[in-house]
Amino acid sequence: MPKKKKIPSIVKDIQNQVQHEVNYAYEKSISYSQLSMYTECPKKWSLQYKEGYKQFTSSIHTVFGTALHETLQKYLEVMYNESGAEADRLNTSEMLEENLREEYKVQYKKNKNQHFLKPEELREFYEDGIEIIREFAKNKSKYFSKRGWYLVGCEVPLMLKPSPTHTNLYFQGFLDVVLYNEKTNKFLIMDIKTSKSGWYKDQKKDELKQFQLILYKKFFAEQYNVSIDNIDIEFFIVKRKIYEHEDFTIRRIQQFQPPSGKIKLNKATQTLNKFITEVFDREGYKDIEHQPTPNKNCGWCPFHKTHLCSATY
Ligand code: SF4
């Protein structure tokens, strides 16, 4: 049995921090998803979050994303807290299948007990997931070193006030994976993205996508009292499909570290502050109507062509 490493106190403090529980009777919370939705279309955000038109938006992509996240996170927890060999002994195929089944059950209930996926779709995604896990486990030491590194946690919570003028407002988030290196005193925040064939130039350049990890970095530093200069961020993108090439190997795993220096940090903060001030006053939601901004994603919007939004793009 390998000797367990002593967990650094900075890691223990983060793990033991008690989180504020939002009381929705007089407090509100926002998240990166809300910011992203508002930036794309204020009307869509308003219908969903302010007016409470809860729409069923689950799909094979969200079910698969959740199930795969849970499986990879479990693997990492065992790898860091026990050993790599122990993680390899996990029956990850069975875990993925079970996680898919459980997540589908939850979403099926939310969909008023109506099926929304075909068994063959689930099977195809399951098989893609198996391939991703296989490459992940085979190359674990390339992506996740254990030398000097500790797993702070998976789904590490963020819950803090994002604006000094809005004292009843909280920013809420969950960080997929957070690691700490004792030698360099650096943290690494990772966000796992499932993707069909990876991120190309356009996705990498998309500032709104980048803002997710940039804001997580800013708020992680604030909430856990860590120097922002000691935090790195990374999108860990796993691809369902790879197209074989005879001359080189195409990997299923892609890593992307978005720029997160002062300029980007200011831009992300300004975008968040604009959202907050346009939407909230000191008491809660402002009593104003938010306008639609028709865009290329209208076709997938749950309010598209309904009495709630008749805008076309
Ligand atoms: S259909 Fe388009 S314009 Fe209307 S709410 Fe949805 S995203 Fe906005």
Side-chain angles (χ1 to χ4, degrees), residues 40-41 43-44 47 292-295 297-299 301-305 309-311:
E40 177 188 285
C41 175
K43 170 106 179 162
K44 185 178 176 185
L47 287 168
T293 49
N295 60 78
N297 295 324
C298 282
C301 174
F303 308 113
H304 181 53
K305 288 188 183 156
C309 186
S310 53

Side-chain angles (χ1 to χ4, degrees), residues 279-291:
V279 161
F280 297 96
D281 55 26
R282 278 159 203 258
E283 275 74 51
Y285 293 128
K286 282 185 175 169
D287 187 17
I288 53 169
E289 201 173 312
H290 297 282
Q291 297 305 313

Side-chain angles (χ1 to χ4, degrees), residues 30 35 38 42 45 50 162-167 169 268-288 290:
I30 53 168
L35 170 70
Y38 182 84
W45 170 85
K50 184 172 152 186
S163 157
T165 51
H166 293 72
T167 49
L169 185 67
T269 309
Q270 278 164 13
T271 307
L272 182 71
N273 288 344
K274 180 174 175 287
F275 166 53
I276 293 172
T277 49
E278 284 180 7
V279 161
F280 297 96
D281 55 26
R282 278 159 203 258
E283 275 74 51
Y285 293 128
K286 282 185 175 169
D287 187 17
I288 53 169
H290 297 282

Side-chain angles (χ1 to χ4, degrees), residues 8-9 53 56 104 132 153 167 206-207 219 242 247 255 307:
S9 57
Y53 289 103
F56 182 75
Y104 185 62
I132 291 170
T167 49
D206 183 339
E207 278 198 318
F219 290 136
I242 48 166
D247 295 334
Q255 291 162 292
H307 67 286

Side-chain angles (χ1 to χ4, degrees), residues 153-165:
C154 295
E155 299 298 317
V156 174
L158 286 179
M159 177 64 85
L160 76 171
K161 295 179 184 182
S163 157
T165 51

